[in-house]
Amino acid sequence: MDNLAEKLRQYTKEDYANKRVDLHIHTSCSDGEGNFSEIINSAKERGYGLISITDHNTVEVHKNIKDDILLTGVEFDCWFGYVFIHLLAYGIDIENEKLKKFFAADKSGTEHVLPRLLSFRNVKDLISAIHEAGGIAVLAHPACCWALNLESLIKNLMKIGLDGVEVFYPYPRFRGVLKFHSAESVQKIADKYPELIQTGGTDFHGKDFV
């Protein structure tokens, strides 16, 4: 986990903005449209150095393909108190038995909104499982969290082991409208806590990865 954390700390806003790194991609294995092999090939053709496919509550892609530019990842839907959050896990051992308990039981838990909203995963136990599986836990698109006090939310998550925050994120699609906080406020909070790893990604859900 330490080596991965140091690797991710090296990437800058420019790396994400200039399409050299994208750590938030969905495929048809959850609620995306694209084929994972085609997405990976497209990323390699375009010169990406690192990508992560982070389908909702499943690592089906990572069971089927390994590649030098592909970092294992998954995006978990869960509640933290009254706030519905998405927690990204990177660099995980997908065969870890403790972590397996948090994966969706069927396809509806990876793509349909209602089953995902009803996924009451214990966040503390989930972060512990991510760490046991050798990974790091990152709060996805924080500006979209339904939190009255975003900094308080992040601090409380840090107390139970949160490793990072998704900072370099374009807030596309409906998230560009349904933001509860600004991208600038996310950056300011992350900068206050240097122990937090700052990551980024596009939250890609389309068919043709460009």
Side-chain angles (χ1 to χ4, degrees), residues 25-32 34-40 51-67 70-74 94 103 107 110:
I25 299 170
H26 295 275
T27 74
S28 58
C29 287
S30 65
D31 60 343
N35 172 275
F36 61 83
S37 293
E38 292 176 0
I39 288 173
I40 293 169
I51 66 170
S52 185
I53 290 175
T54 54
D55 284 317
H56 286 281
N57 311 311
T58 180
V59 290
E60 197 62 31
V61 164
H62 300 289
K63 294 178 182 178
N64 289 282
I65 194 166
K66 301 286 188 292
D67 197 280
L70 182 64
L71 175 66
T72 55
V74 56
I94 63 172
F103 296 145
K107 193 71 166 67
T110 71

Side-chain angles (χ1 to χ4, degrees), residues 183-195:
E184 292 75 16
S185 66
V186 173
Q187 180 73 74
K188 288 179 181 178
I189 293 169
D191 287 343
K192 287 178 65 175
Y193 302 97
E195 63 268 40

